[in-house]
Every structure is written in C-alpha cells, then in structure tokens.
Amino acid sequence: MSINYKIYVLFFLSLSMLGAQNTEEYLCRVLDIQNKYPISYATIQFENEDNGVIADEEGNFRLPLAYNKNDNSIIISSIGYETLRLKVNTLNTTTINTIYLIPKVEELGAVVINSSSSRPKLSPEQIIKNAIGKIATNYPSSAHAYMSYYRDYQLVKNTYFNLNEAILESYDAGFNTNKLSGSNNKTAIYSYKLNENFFQDTLLLNTIYGKSKVLDPNNSAKLGTNIQNELGILNIHNPIRNYNVNSFSFVYVFRDNFVFNHNFKLIKIQYIEDTPLYEIQFTSKANPNSKYTGAGKIYISKGDFAIYKLEYKVFNNKDYRSNRSKDNPFANVSKNATYKNNATLFEINVEYKPVGNKMYLNYMTFNNRFIIKEPNPFTVQEFNFNPIDESFYITFNKPVDESTINRKSNFKLRYNDKKLIIKTLELVSPKVIKISMVDWSAGVSNNPKNVASTDFTYKIKKIKDVSGATINKASNLIGYQFREIFTQEIFESKTPNDDLIYVNKMLPMSQTRVNKPSFDIKKYTINSPLKKTKN
C-alpha cells in the first residue's frame, strides 16, 4: 500500500556542495523523504514543454532560469515514488534546492494477483517472457530521434576525472534495425567539450580507448569490442534495444538466453505515476566454472508488459566472495557489491518511458572497471622556503587529497640538522601545501633573507593524491570509466538530415566535427555534477 504523507519541499544551503553558484540556473537535488537517500535518475519534465532533464546518480540536476516564466512548473517522477508537480518560482538561486519525493510501492500481499483473481498468477519467468515477446509491439519500429545530454568520465576513489560533455541528437530507424550497423542509425553532435572545472589526468584517458578494453589485469574479462567510439560502446550494452542480437555476459541474446541463464524473484509492485510495475530481482545461475556473476533488477508494466527499466551488474566472483547457495541464490547479490568496493566489473542502467503509445529511451548509463599501472607516481615537485612569511611551500605533481594532510607527524623538516616543529598545515591550492613552523630557525639566530631552500631537508609519508595513490609509491589505479546519455527531448517521427555531420561509429567522438545548431541550443541543459566527488 502506498505511504500517504504530505508532499513538501525543503530548501537549504549546503556549503560543501554549492561551490561557485551560477546565478543563471537553479541547482537541485531529489531525495527520498523517508531515508534521505538520493533518488538516482529522476525525470524532470517541464510543464507545457516537450523537453526536460534527468537527475544524475546523486539525484542532482541543473535547471536554467529561463524556465521561470509564465508561472511554469516542473513535474518530477521516478519509479517507486509519487509524482511531484512543483512551481519553478518557488526555487532559490542561492541554495541547493532539496526536493523530497514520497515512496509509492505495494508489498506483494496487497497486490491483487492471487488465485481468487480472474487473471491467473504469473511467475517472474512468465512475466519476463511476456515482456520480451512484446518488445516489437511496445517499442518503436519506425524512425524517431532524441536530443540528449551526454557525458563520459573516469571515477577514481569517488573523484571525477576527464569529464567530457555534449549535447547531441541521436537518430534511430526503429527496433527492427541494427543499432550499430544500420545506415540510418546515427548521431549528430551540437556541442562537445572538456569540463575544466574537474580534475584532468592523461593517464586515465587510457581507459577509454585501446583495442582490448581490459577489465582485469590478466586480460580475462573484456568488453568484447574493438571500436573506439564512446557512444557505440554505450549503445551495444543496451539489451532492450539490441534484444535480438548478441550482447554481454549471461544476457547474450536477450530474447533467447536471458530467462534461461538467470534465477528470478518477484519483489514488489512499484509505481511510476499511476502505472504499476513488477519489480523482479534476478541473478545468473550458479556455475562452478564461471569467474563471474551477473545480477540486477527489471521493472515491467503489469498492463502491457513494457520493460521500463533494467539494472544489471557483472561481478568478479573472487572479489565479490558471494555467499550464494542453491537455496538462496540472491544472498549478497545487491547489498554489498558495488563499484565502491571494486567488486563490480561493469554496470548498466537503462530506462525507457512511454510517449504516445510507444516506449522511448529515457536514459542509459554504462561503466566498466579498469586497472592500470601508475607510470608517474605521486611525488614532490618543488620544495621552497618563503622568507617573507617564513613558511614552507611544497608543490606536488598531482592534486593532493586534503583529508590526508592533517597529521603533522607525516611531515618532518630540519634546518641545520635540527628538527623543526610544525605549527599548521594548509592546502593553498590543489597541488601546494603551506607549512608554518613554531620556530623555523630552531633557536638559531639568522636572517630569513640569507636562508635558501637548500638549507632545509624534509621527509613526507602517507599522504595521498586525489586518486588515492600514496606519496612515492608506485601502484595500480582502480577506477571506473563511465559513459552516460540522458534524453531531454523525444521526436516520435524524425529522420536524419542530410546537411548534418554525423559521428563516425568507429572513432572517438573527439574526432567528429561539431554541427552549428539551427535551433536555440540553450533549450538543452548541460547537467554537470554539482561537485567534484560522488557521495
């Protein structure tokens, strides 16, 4: 039964996330009213407009001030929550606006699918078979297009690196065509740039390109493609769109192999607006010879069996250490295994939404784990004594993790072979630490102007850079390469324009020329993360 609370919105100032506020937009975050957790990928539709935005995994989204006109509202929806309609003019430009949604679910005991119903009870396997069988009916077979916000980045120690962002238009000739090879399935880019407000690291760029796309250091797991185009890699991991062709581990051909290769469990009924959805959990069948486990959830409409959402992860069994058994194949599947503990090899989230009488892509995210050897260890670049403020400045070759410099015992300085006592440590820029001493001269009378940096010696230990590498230690970097696309407007009947330049499906997006838009591109939102790290 749905929980009945009064809907409300709370605005508050979050100094840790706000940073430099852009007064040309509202910053917002969507949370669960009960547990205050972020609601990932909530859909924000502009009332009386054809377009909208999608919140990111942290529940964050940006809203241009231009939509505060004519008493406009936004409509916020997400699977498992009551839909909320909110006036734009109630939002605040000087804070992060926190928006709470109310859960809307039904436990199985309250769902009318029992034997007394005129409709026979369906097993999870039957529900999924029905859904797969109706893909050709529920999804468009004719040409359509969608305008989207796209981004790719690396995530190391929950810190963003190399964030590329784009506004692009994807043309799809229909589900009866091959998404990758179909000549009328193509994408035009209208803006594409590196967001310089986030950390950059050329080493991590190795995770995007290269023929092997290695996920494990022993080459035992690969993405199975040699293409270098980020969109192509993203698209081939959509098992709903590619339901009749081979895809990834355990899913293979979604239409033919998905049900056979997994165990299923009906969890509850979720709602998206007033549409009830079966929430079905699944895990790949145990195989003692397999190094990997697949698991996730699928959300299917009770009415027409349309697949609204699919969440899928593949784990390395050695890292995951699954407790599964024949009696309980779902033990530990989703509770502990996330990219945050490096157990996940790759993860897919894809959601469709109804427009007219068909289902269209709402968003898709795909990330894969990478492990690369660090050829350029974290180290000191310069050590200087400033005679003006009588302080020391240590410059590193990489941005420093500020949380690791709070122990004075990790820094040892000497002058004339006498130990100096540290007073304060301060990160004055991403790569520079300022050290103030109780007495820089250690009791020796000397004029600071006559002192050189070479008169001092120092030792540093245990501090780390923002990617987690320890000072002066070569190490392997473990992180995740993300590719994400968020639909902002859907065109139910649209074919490619011959005047546009389209993405080469085999080459990186950076090698494609950007089209000059013939429309107001400000209508579409660059929805950058609100801060440099994930929660």
Side-chain angles (χ1 to χ4, degrees), residues 349-361:
N349 287 280
V350 59
E351 182 176 306
Y352 281 79
K353 68 177 183 179
V355 176
N357 61 354
K358 298 292 182 180
M359 301 290 292
Y360 293 88
L361 181 68

Side-chain angles (χ1 to χ4, degrees), residues 248-459:
F248 47 85
S249 300
F250 307 110
V251 171
Y252 303 118
V253 179
F254 186 61
R255 178 189 61 191
D256 303 331
N257 306 119
F258 182 68
V259 172
F260 179 79
N261 288 335
H262 295 83
N263 296 305
F264 300 94
K265 182 179 181 181
L266 181 59
I267 304 298
K268 63 180 68 141
I269 300 298
Q270 300 269 21
Y271 280 84
I272 178 70
E273 298 185 0
D274 293 325
T275 302
L277 308 176
Y278 295 109
E279 178 187 332
I280 299 173
Q281 186 178 8
F282 59 84
T283 181
S284 59
K285 293 180 179 178
N287 182 347
N289 298 319
S290 177
K291 297 179 180 179
Y292 312 106
T293 296
K297 291 181 179 180
I298 189 168
Y299 299 81
I300 297 171
S301 168
K302 285 183 65 180
D304 59 7
F305 295 100
I307 303 172
Y308 275 64
K309 185 177 181 181
L310 178 70
E311 303 170 352
Y312 199 87
K313 296 180 183 180
V314 172
F315 310 114
N316 183 315
N317 285 341
K318 181 179 178 181
D319 292 340
Y320 177 47
R321 295 182 176 88
S322 173
N323 291 330
R324 296 189 306 154
S325 65
K326 273 188 175 183
D327 295 331
N328 187 9
F330 298 96
N332 274 0
V333 165
S334 59
K335 183 178 180 181
N336 299 316
T338 69
Y339 62 77
K340 293 179 181 178
N341 62 17
N342 298 321
T344 307
L345 290 178
F346 62 86
E347 179 179 6
I348 294 140
N349 287 280
V350 59
E351 182 176 306
Y352 281 79
K353 68 177 183 179
V355 176
N357 61 354
K358 298 292 182 180
M359 301 290 292
Y360 293 88
L361 181 68
N362 197 28
Y363 66 82
M364 181 178 176
T365 76
F366 168 73
N367 70 77
N368 62 272
R369 189 176 79 174
F370 61 83
I371 302 175
I372 51 180
K373 187 174 182 179
E374 170 62 271
N376 182 26
F378 178 45
T379 186
V380 173
Q381 205 167 47
E382 291 182 4
F383 175 85
N384 294 303
F385 174 71
N386 187 329
I388 297 176
D389 61 5
E390 299 184 1
S391 297
F392 300 89
Y393 290 82
I394 302 179
T395 302
F396 298 85
N397 63 334
K398 297 183 178 183
V400 179
D401 181 349
E402 188 172 10
S403 67
T404 66
I405 68 168
N406 51 12
R407 293 181 65 89
K408 297 176 184 178
S409 59
N410 290 336
F411 297 80
K412 297 186 184 302
L413 283 83
R414 289 181 174 273
Y415 172 62
N416 289 339
D417 206 31
K418 292 187 177 181
K419 183 179 178 181
L420 303 181
I421 300 174
I422 295 174
K423 182 179 180 180
T424 60
L425 297 165
E426 180 184 0
L427 188 66
V428 295
S429 75
K431 296 182 181 181
V432 180
I433 294 176
K434 176 184 176 181
I435 304 178
S436 300
M437 314 304 297
V438 173
D439 180 4
W440 71 268
S441 61
V444 178
S445 177
N446 208 331
N447 187 337
K449 295 181 179 178
N450 299 326
V451 176
S453 298
T454 53
D455 295 329
F456 299 90
T457 59
Y458 66 90
K459 289 184 179 180

Side-chain angles (χ1 to χ4, degrees), residues 73-297:
S73 296
I74 52 175
I75 301 167
I76 306 169
S77 60
S78 182
I79 291 175
Y81 293 90
E82 293 186 6
T83 298
L84 174 64
R85 185 177 180 273
L86 179 66
K87 292 286 187 183
V88 176
N89 60 20
T90 63
L91 299 175
N92 196 320
T93 59
T94 61
T95 69
I96 293 180
N97 298 276
T98 301
I99 301 168
Y100 288 116
L101 296 189
I102 297 171
K104 185 177 182 180
V105 300
E106 290 182 354
E107 300 301 329
L108 290 180
V111 181
V112 185
I113 55 172
N114 53 45
S115 58
S116 63
S117 171
S118 58
R119 183 174 179 177
K121 181 178 179 180
L122 298 175
S123 69
E125 291 81 2
Q126 290 171 320
I127 294 170
I128 294 173
K129 285 180 181 179
N130 287 347
I132 293 174
K134 293 180 73 66
I135 286 178
T137 302
N138 286 326
Y139 299 83
S141 58
S142 58
H144 58 282
Y146 42 91
M147 196 74 69
S148 303
Y149 163 63
Y150 166 86
R151 69 186 183 198
D152 59 60
Y153 57 90
Q154 295 87 46
L155 191 70
V156 180
K157 297 291 183 181
N158 288 338
T159 301
Y160 293 98
F161 289 88
N162 305 320
L163 175 62
N164 293 295
E165 300 179 292
I167 296 294
L168 48 85
E169 187 172 25
S170 300
Y171 293 87
D172 193 321
F175 272 49
N176 56 336
T177 65
N178 189 293
K179 180 63 176 176
L180 289 182
S181 63
S183 59
N184 287 323
N185 294 324
K186 54 183 66 176
T187 299
I189 301 176
Y190 296 108
S191 74
Y192 182 82
K193 63 180 180 179
L194 174 69
N195 191 327
E196 296 182 353
N197 293 324
F198 291 80
F199 294 117
Q200 288 126 55
D201 191 312
T202 54
L203 172 68
L204 298 179
L205 291 176
N206 294 333
T207 66
I208 302 180
Y209 308 118
K211 292 185 177 180
S212 65
K213 302 294 186 304
V214 175
L215 305 181
D216 272 349
N218 62 359
N219 295 348
S220 61
K222 301 181 181 181
L223 297 186
T225 177
N226 291 338
I227 67 173
Q228 295 187 341
N229 180 258
E230 300 91 333
L231 282 171
I233 295 171
L234 178 64
N235 284 327
I236 64 175
H237 288 86
N238 182 345
I240 300 174
R241 174 60 180 87
N242 307 305
Y243 71 101
N244 56 357
V245 297
N246 193 47
S247 56
F248 47 85
S249 300
F250 307 110
V251 171
Y252 303 118
V253 179
F254 186 61
R255 178 189 61 191
D256 303 331
N257 306 119
F258 182 68
V259 172
F260 179 79
N261 288 335
H262 295 83
N263 296 305
F264 300 94
K265 182 179 181 181
L266 181 59
I267 304 298
K268 63 180 68 141
I269 300 298
Q270 300 269 21
Y271 280 84
I272 178 70
E273 298 185 0
D274 293 325
T275 302
L277 308 176
Y278 295 109
E279 178 187 332
I280 299 173
Q281 186 178 8
F282 59 84
T283 181
S284 59
K285 293 180 179 178
N287 182 347
N289 298 319
S290 177
K291 297 179 180 179
Y292 312 106
T293 296
K297 291 181 179 180

